Amino acid sequence: VLDTGAGKWAKQAAIKNGKGDQIKKPKKKKRSTFKAIPTKSHMSLVALMKSEPKYLKYLISQNTDGLHRRSGIPPNQMSELHGNTTIEKCIKCKREYMRDYRCRGSMRKNQSAYDHKTGRYCTIPGCQGKLYDTIINFNENLPEKVLELAED
């Protein structure tokens, strides 16, 4: 099991080398991750998961950019604890839709951070349930199933 997330490995390396107090937070710039592509690090994780011997059995991520999934990590071998900006889920039948765009606010303006409706509907015949984004915001609980899978 590998725990990943923004700056996780850099922090651990700095602490291991006695430089944990020298970690500086970068200035926040608002940047889109939509055009980002999986890096060599992402592809290395795929190799660890798919090549024999399979050293990596399960991946736990706090990232919401969807790069682990786009790199080829199977969804059933990963927990995206804070959701994925490109996935929306049917509230009724639970079907997931992976989009090539950010689901949040893509159809609705002035949307509250806690309003997860995307404005689209499930395409399964007979369902037509409302689709919701999968992002977990501050003060929201992690989905129980995702958390249970990560803890196992």
Side-chain angles (χ1 to χ4, degrees):
V1 174
L2 182 65
D3 187 11
T4 69
K8 191 130 186 120
W9 297 343
K11 285 181 205 167
Q12 289 174 350
I15 291 167
K16 185 177 179 181
N17 293 324
K19 297 179 182 178
D21 59 340
Q22 297 175 15
I23 298 172
K24 293 180 182 172
K25 289 187 176 185
K27 291 181 181 176
K28 291 205 176 207
K29 290 182 183 178
K30 194 165 185 174
R31 257 189 245 175
S32 172
T33 58
F34 178 68
K35 293 181 181 178
I37 58 171
T39 64
K40 289 180 183 179
S41 297
H42 290 99
M43 301 317 294
S44 296
L45 296 175
V46 173
L48 287 172
M49 188 170 270
K50 293 185 174 183
S51 301
E52 293 296 334
K54 296 179 180 180
Y55 290 109
L56 181 59
K57 307 281 187 236
Y58 201 83
L59 184 121
I60 301 167
S61 179
Q62 296 178 22
N63 295 332
T64 61
D65 57 18
L67 291 175
H68 287 304
R69 197 176 284 219
R70 282 193 266 167
S71 71
I73 300 285
N76 65 334
Q77 290 180 267
M78 169 177 54
S79 285
E80 293 175 298
L81 294 180
H82 295 174
N84 183 320
T85 58
T86 62
I87 293 180
E88 54 189 344
K89 190 174 187 176
C90 176
I91 195 77
K92 203 168 166 186
C93 73
K94 309 299 182 212
R95 177 176 178 171
E96 288 186 352
Y97 294 84
M98 187 169 183
R99 306 297 191 185
D100 60 356
Y101 50 84
R102 287 180 52 127
C103 296
R104 162 82 35 128
S106 56
M107 289 186 69
R108 302 174 63 221
K109 293 188 181 199
N110 301 323
Q111 182 176 9
S112 157
Y114 300 102
D115 177 3
H116 294 279
K117 290 179 272 199
T118 63
R120 286 178 287 279
Y121 293 87
C122 185
T123 59
I124 299 289
C127 180
Q128 300 300 308
K130 291 182 179 181
L131 298 182
Y132 286 71
D133 71 52
T134 61
I135 296 300
I136 305 301
N137 297 301
F138 290 107
N139 297 321
E140 292 182 324
N141 293 327
L142 297 174
E144 286 184 35
K145 184 178 179 184
V146 172
L147 193 55
E148 286 171 11
L149 289 169
E151 289 175 339
D152 285 346

